[in-house]
Amino acid sequence: MKSADAVAPVSEMGVEHAPGGEGFVLEEIEMRRFMRYLEKTDPPLRFPEKFTVITGRTGAGKSSILDAITFALYAKTTRTDILSVKLADICRPGGYVRIAFRQGDERWDVTRGFTTKKESYLEVTRDGETIQGTIPDKERTIRDVVGLDYDGFRNSTFVRQEEMKELGAASGAQRLAVFQKLFRLEIFEQALERAKEHYATVKGHIQAKDAEIAARQEGLARLPVLREQLANLETERAARRTRVSELQTAYETVARDVKDLETKHERWGQATAALEDRVARLKTLDVRAEEVRAQGQIAAELEPERSTLEKDVADLDRLREELDRLKESKALHDQRETAARATEREFDLAKREHEKRRDEIKNRIDELHRKIASLRTDVDREAAFSSLRDEGRLEERVTRIARELAWLADRADLVRELSEEQARAEKALARVHEKVASIDQDSFVLTEYKRQLEQLKDDLRREADESHRLIQPLDDAKIEALRQLDAVRFTGDDEKRVETVSAAVQERTTKRRRLDELTTLLRQVGDVAARLADLGVQRAALESERSSMEAEVADLRPAQQAFIAARARLEALQGDLDQERKAWHLLEGQAKAVEEQIAGLARDAEKLKESERARDALRVDLEIYDMLVNRVFHKRGVVMFAVEQLLPELEIEASKNLSELTDNRFSRIRLETYEEGRGHGVRILVQGVDGQWHDVAEFSGGEKTQINAALRFAIARELASMPQIGRTFGRMKTLFIGEGDLGSLDTEVSRELFVQKLLRMGEFFEKVILITHLAEVAEKFPGRIRVTMTPDQESRAEVLA
């Protein structure tokens, strides 16, 4: 069985299906959490007998067993054929169905279900060997092995009650629909729809070809106009070509003149740039000279301030060192003061804790003394036991002396001694009697109080010893911390000195920064006179260079003016030339486009002929599809032909079945098609006891059941015996009869005949499985499975011996 979280393997292994004609034979079914079968069917439902009946009350879950077979093989059931019902509605998470069947000499196991995470899975094994692949791969393997798809499997040998009733329906059209469904003739209706689709498609293609041909013919009519337009464009192109040639010649002449003047133009540019550079550099030198003079004046004004600041900050380093020493002393003093305070707090805390515990013990001792004083006796348990022992001993002694006095009455010396001893014993006994009289239940309380008192005294002594052991080191640590604090003196005068020195350091630091700024500034100013002299030398050299450059620029000015004029004319010629070339190229493009249109129209003439030939071919296809739609696949055509080919064989087999089911009371069935207007149908006629032919709808309920069963058994045998045709037909060796309408058979004989007919079906099928709620029918079958419904509305199935 599949584990709760199993998933389908992804690898694939090819499988050869069993040879056609061997047939599908069901062996066992196992279900869990499928529909109302919540508990696992343990043991699985097995079908060792050729004939098996499944019994149970209506709604108990008998038909669910048939749904389990198609669910495992095809993931479909009669319930999921209804679009609103999903697979998850009939198989819960963790549920599955496993079926085992034979196909030829091979045993196949198929398990399909959902994991607890609602993931579907499918397992397939052949003779114990697992078939690998995806779920679709395995489903294809199943269809190849069985030889049928879902519809073919269900219609071939699943004889259900509703199909029996449909065969006897009053409407011939309904009967025809049943035949089409069972024999998979709806394929012809599908072919009809496909033919209609192709007819519409071809018709659309013809319309498109007609439109294409009309467009091409319209284009060819424009060919003379395009040729005249091309001739006009050629004339204009020649005129533009001549104008471009003239402008090109003038442009080249002016370009040579500009090139001849270009050397002098470059010299003019270099000389002008050099002159502007010298003028700018002279202005820069004048600005720098003014800046140097201003800096010299500022330096002269700042020198006295610098000298004063230098004297003021002379002792800054000494003050900083003194401040650092004072801060270090203060930090060490604060650190040791903090440590001393911490040891004092720790000592005081330990001392207070000791005193608190000591006081608590003393309070408890005082409390016990008060409790002892409140007791009614001062005799504890030990004293009480001792007094009782003394009382017994003394009473025995007094009694013994009394006996001895009686014995020794004639001995005066002994009597006197014994009398004295008796008096002492009686006096001691009286004292003991007083103590014994004071003994009560408080004596035991007093003993417990004394024990607690001794325990508390011991605790008090231990607390004193423990506190001395803990507090003494803390006291020593406190004294040592105070001694170290006294070793580092930091007075109020020292504190004031820190503030004074700190303020002086801050003031002198500010002055030191100002002194550094002035020193840097004066260093940058340097020797003002030397700097001014150097700038004067540079200015004289630049003045000489400027005069030379002005003379060169004056000599080159006429050549520069001629260059500017020539270049302006060249640019104007370039604009005219570009415009003419653009117009010329535009005409060339227009002419080329017209030439292409003319060439395209010439090709269209050939394509027009091809389109006309294609349209003629499409018209031939249209006639073929019209014939398929209106004559071949129409119900007047191949559908009715196929039905008419099936009916003769079915008549023979159904008549034989009916004779067996009615004990020869009815023995002939006639099946015929008819066409009336647009309607088509199948008539089912039965020869009555009067020798006349009657429609099946005219018979009673029980007779109709017998007629329908005779027909459905004949169809089942016909379907199962057909040769393998794709997945439409394939041999089946297991016949399923789902809830046959046996209740309408009004006599026991009729039911007996029905059962006998089922048993004879075993000549063709290896397994015959009947579902019914009639106990008298079930008793005829050697294999029986009973389905019941629990009070919790769960289906249970058991195999009966």
Side-chain angles (χ1 to χ4, degrees):
M1 187 188 75
K2 184 72 175 178
S3 62
D5 297 320
V7 295
V10 297
S11 58
E12 179 179 358
M13 182 175 73
V15 176
E16 296 179 0
H17 61 79
E22 294 182 347
F24 174 94
V25 180
L26 180 68
E27 289 192 340
E28 66 180 39
I29 302 174
E30 182 180 302
M31 296 174 284
R32 178 176 180 270
R33 299 181 68 80
F34 178 78
M35 301 183 74
R36 292 187 178 178
Y37 288 88
L38 301 185
E39 298 296 329
K40 175 184 173 182
T41 51
D42 189 15
L45 304 181
R46 296 186 174 90
F47 303 90
E49 304 289 346
K50 178 183 283 288
F51 301 98
T52 302
V53 64
I54 301 174
T55 63
R57 294 175 178 267
T58 301
K62 302 185 297 299
S63 298
S64 299
I65 296 176
L66 300 185
D67 286 326
I69 298 172
T70 57
F71 170 79
L73 294 176
Y74 302 105
K76 292 183 179 181
T77 69
T78 55
R79 290 167 174 80
T80 56
D81 290 343
I82 304 171
L83 295 179
S84 60
V85 180
K86 308 299 181 186
L87 283 179
D89 299 332
I90 63 172
C91 188
R92 297 171 176 82
Y96 68 93
V97 173
R98 181 183 66 82
I99 70 167
F101 64 90
R102 284 188 295 106
Q103 182 67 272
D105 295 330
E106 297 175 343
R107 175 188 165 96
W108 292 81
D109 274 82
V110 177
T111 304
R112 187 189 297 271
F114 292 91
T115 67
T116 55
K117 297 180 181 179
K118 300 182 181 181
E119 298 174 350
S120 62
Y121 66 87
L122 176 63
E123 290 182 344
V124 181
T125 64
R126 176 180 60 184
D127 294 333
E129 180 183 355
T130 301
I131 304 302
Q132 303 295 330
T134 63
I135 290 180
D137 294 337
K138 296 175 184 178
E139 288 176 339
R140 283 193 292 271
T141 298
I142 292 171
R143 290 195 297 270
D144 290 341
V145 170
V146 177
L148 293 168
D149 59 10
Y150 169 69
D151 291 328
F153 183 86
R154 190 171 67 86
N155 291 336
S156 60
T157 53
F158 269 52
V159 180
R160 296 180 181 270
Q161 177 181 354
E162 62 270 16
E163 293 170 351
M164 290 187 181
K165 291 182 178 180
E166 288 175 354
L167 284 173
S171 169
Q174 288 178 288
R175 296 169 189 165
L176 177 60
V178 173
F179 276 98
Q180 286 183 273
K181 175 182 176 183
L182 293 176
F183 286 97
R184 308 295 298 279
L185 297 180
E186 69 270 14
I187 189 173
F188 295 117
E189 292 187 358
Q190 297 172 4
L192 175 61
E193 294 302 319
R194 294 291 300 277
K196 288 181 178 179
E197 292 175 2
H198 284 296
Y199 179 84
T201 301
V202 172
K203 190 173 182 179
H205 289 167
I206 291 174
Q207 292 175 349
K209 285 296 180 184
D210 287 338
E212 179 186 348
I213 290 170
R216 293 187 187 282
Q217 290 175 342
E218 181 179 356
L220 289 172
R222 296 174 50 243
L223 190 57
V225 175
L226 290 175
R227 287 173 176 164
E228 182 179 356
Q229 184 179 354
L230 180 61
N232 294 334
L233 289 173
E234 288 293 341
T235 302
E236 189 173 355
R237 281 175 61 195
R240 290 286 182 181
R241 188 184 302 112
T242 301
R243 176 59 178 163
V244 167
S245 178
E246 294 173 352
L247 289 173
Q248 181 67 33
T249 302
Y251 176 83
E252 291 173 354
T253 301
V254 175
R256 285 194 295 271
D257 296 339
V258 169
K259 188 174 182 180
D260 293 339
L261 294 170
E262 193 168 357
T263 302
K264 292 183 178 180
H265 165 69
E266 292 176 357
R267 287 175 57 195
W268 160 270
Q270 294 171 356
T272 303
L275 177 61
E276 292 175 354
D277 175 68
R278 301 307 186 275
V279 172
R281 289 169 65 183
L282 283 171
K283 291 181 180 179
T284 301
L285 285 175
D286 292 341
V287 172
R288 288 179 61 188
E290 290 298 325
E291 289 177 352
V292 170
R293 293 188 188 95
Q295 290 174 359
Q297 184 177 357
I298 293 172
E301 294 173 355
L302 293 178
E303 180 60 31
E305 181 183 358
R306 189 193 67 78
S307 299
T308 302
L309 289 173
E310 192 172 16
K311 295 176 182 179
D312 291 342
V313 300
D315 60 346
L316 175 60
D317 293 337
R318 180 185 60 79
L319 289 173
R320 283 177 175 173
E321 291 176 357
E322 181 181 1
L323 180 61
D324 291 340
R325 286 194 302 273
L326 289 171
K327 286 183 177 180
E328 289 176 359
S329 298
K330 184 176 184 304
L332 182 59
H333 178 272
D334 293 344
Q335 180 182 0
R336 293 188 177 181
E337 184 179 22
T338 302
R341 298 293 176 266
T343 56
E344 286 180 348
R345 286 194 299 273
E346 189 175 0
F347 172 78
D348 293 341
L349 178 62
K351 185 176 180 181
R352 285 196 300 273
E353 291 293 329
H354 159 65
E355 292 173 351
K356 179 180 178 182
R357 290 192 296 271
R358 182 195 63 191
D359 293 342
E360 287 178 354
I361 295 173
K362 288 182 176 181
N363 291 336
R364 291 170 65 186
I365 291 173
D366 294 341
E367 179 65 22
L368 282 175
H369 281 302
R370 286 192 295 273
K371 289 181 178 180
I372 290 172
S374 66
L375 296 176
R376 297 188 299 272
T377 181
D378 58 353
V379 179
D380 61 11
R381 184 180 62 178
E382 296 299 327
F385 288 156
S386 177
S387 296
L388 290 173
R389 287 193 296 271
D390 291 344
E391 183 182 38
R393 179 176 55 78
L394 290 172
E395 287 178 347
E396 181 183 359
R397 183 178 178 186
V398 170
T399 302
R400 179 179 57 79
I401 293 173
R403 286 197 302 271
E404 290 177 349
L405 285 173
W407 294 340
L408 301 173
D410 56 345
R411 297 282 301 273
D413 56 341
L414 293 175
V415 169
R416 184 176 59 253
E417 184 178 350
L418 288 172
S419 296
E420 291 176 356
E421 183 179 354
Q422 184 182 24
R424 289 194 300 272
E426 288 176 346
K427 185 178 181 180
L429 181 60
R431 289 196 301 271
V432 170
H433 279 320
E434 290 178 359
K435 288 185 177 182
V436 170
S438 64
I439 295 174
D440 59 11
Q441 60 184 5
D442 284 348
S443 297
F444 295 94
V445 178
L446 177 60
T447 300
E448 177 61 23
Y449 283 169
K450 287 183 176 181
R451 186 193 65 76
Q452 293 180 12
L453 188 60
E454 292 300 323
Q455 180 66 39
L456 290 174
K457 288 179 180 179
D458 291 339
D459 292 344
L460 187 60
R461 285 191 295 272
R462 283 194 299 272
E463 176 60 31
D465 295 340
E466 182 69 15
S467 64
H468 178 73
R469 185 181 66 81
L470 293 175
I471 294 176
Q472 185 61 42
L474 296 176
D475 190 25
D476 294 341
K478 179 184 72 172
I479 294 172
E480 176 63 21
L482 292 173
R483 186 186 63 77
Q484 292 183 2
L485 176 63
D486 293 340
V488 181
R489 303 291 295 172
F490 193 82
T491 64
D493 294 338
D494 294 331
E495 187 70 37
K496 292 179 181 179
R497 180 59 182 168
V498 168
E499 294 177 358
T500 302
V501 173
S502 178
V505 167
Q506 185 175 2
E507 177 187 0
R508 284 165 175 73
T509 300
T510 303
K511 291 182 178 181
R512 169 68 67 81
R513 285 198 295 269
R514 177 60 179 167
L515 175 62
D516 292 342
E517 292 174 359
L518 292 178
T519 302
T520 301
L521 179 61
L522 292 174
R523 187 181 299 114
Q524 291 175 351
V525 171
D527 189 352
V528 174
R531 292 173 64 191
L532 289 174
D534 181 62
L535 291 174
V537 173
Q538 295 180 29
R539 193 176 194 289
L542 289 174
E543 284 287 352
S544 174
E545 292 177 2
R546 185 185 65 177
S547 300
S548 175
M549 295 298 173
E550 287 176 347
E552 185 177 1
V553 168
D555 292 340
L556 293 173
R557 185 172 286 110
Q560 175 65 16
Q561 293 174 350
F563 174 79
I564 293 173
R567 189 171 62 180
R569 186 181 176 195
L570 182 65
E571 291 175 354
L573 288 172
Q574 180 69 56
D576 294 342
L577 181 59
D578 291 343
Q579 186 175 359
E580 288 296 327
R581 282 177 175 171
K582 183 178 180 180
W584 180 35
H585 291 315
L586 179 62
L587 289 173
E588 286 184 340
Q590 292 175 351
K592 186 175 182 180
V594 173
E595 290 175 350
E596 290 177 353
Q597 290 183 40
I598 293 172
L601 290 176
R603 291 191 298 269
D604 281 351
E606 294 298 324
K607 291 181 179 179
L608 177 61
K609 296 177 181 179
E610 294 177 1
S611 297
E612 288 173 345
R613 288 194 294 270
R615 181 183 60 183
D616 295 340
L618 288 172
R619 286 173 176 172
V620 173
D621 292 343
L622 186 66
E623 292 177 0
I624 293 173
Y625 287 122
D626 179 68
M627 180 181 296
L628 291 175
V629 169
N630 296 305
R631 297 177 62 186
V632 176
F633 293 132
H634 194 270
K635 286 189 177 181
R636 294 190 303 269
V638 70
V639 175
M640 294 304 291
F641 175 78
V643 172
E644 288 171 355
Q645 296 301 310
L646 293 169
L647 295 185
E649 291 293 332
L650 292 178
E651 280 184 359
I652 296 172
E653 185 64 25
S655 297
K656 176 183 175 183
N657 293 342
L658 183 60
S659 176
E660 294 174 353
L661 289 170
T662 63
D663 197 18
N664 292 319
R665 184 164 178 262
F666 303 116
S667 60
R668 294 188 64 188
I669 293 179
R670 189 168 72 197
L671 304 174
E672 59 184 28
T673 62
Y674 69 87
E675 179 178 353
E676 184 177 349
R678 294 187 177 182
H680 298 79
V682 174
R683 291 191 184 93
I684 302 177
L685 303 175
V686 179
Q687 190 175 39
V689 295
D690 58 358
Q692 301 297 317
W693 292 93
H694 301 275
D695 190 87
V696 67
E698 300 176 16
F699 290 85
S700 66
E703 293 170 340
K704 192 182 298 181
T705 296
Q706 292 170 326
I707 297 168
N708 293 339
L711 277 170
R712 192 59 184 87
F713 291 160
I715 292 172
R717 179 168 180 173
E718 181 69 19
L719 287 171
S721 63
M722 282 187 172
Q724 185 76 40
I725 304 176
R727 297 190 183 95
T728 302
F729 300 109
R731 290 192 182 275
M732 292 289 292
K733 291 300 182 180
T734 303
L735 176 64
F736 304 91
I737 300 95
E739 284 289 354
D741 192 16
L742 305 182
S744 62
L745 299 177
D746 50 5
T747 67
E748 185 176 349
V749 173
S750 298
R751 296 177 184 175
E752 178 66 24
L753 291 172
F754 188 92
V755 173
Q756 292 300 322
K757 177 57 185 175
L758 284 182
L759 296 178
R760 279 192 291 274
M761 294 293 285
E763 298 173 3
F764 187 77
F765 293 95
E766 289 192 23
K767 296 286 177 69
V768 178
I769 300 172
L770 170 66
I771 295 177
T772 183
H773 60 278
L774 300 177
E776 61 271 25
V777 174
E779 293 175 354
K780 308 294 184 182
F781 283 74
R784 286 190 289 168
I785 297 174
R786 180 172 62 194
V787 179
T788 58
M789 181 70 71
T790 68
D792 296 331
Q793 300 299 305
E794 295 183 16
S795 295
R796 299 286 174 83
E798 59 178 332
V799 179
L800 302 179

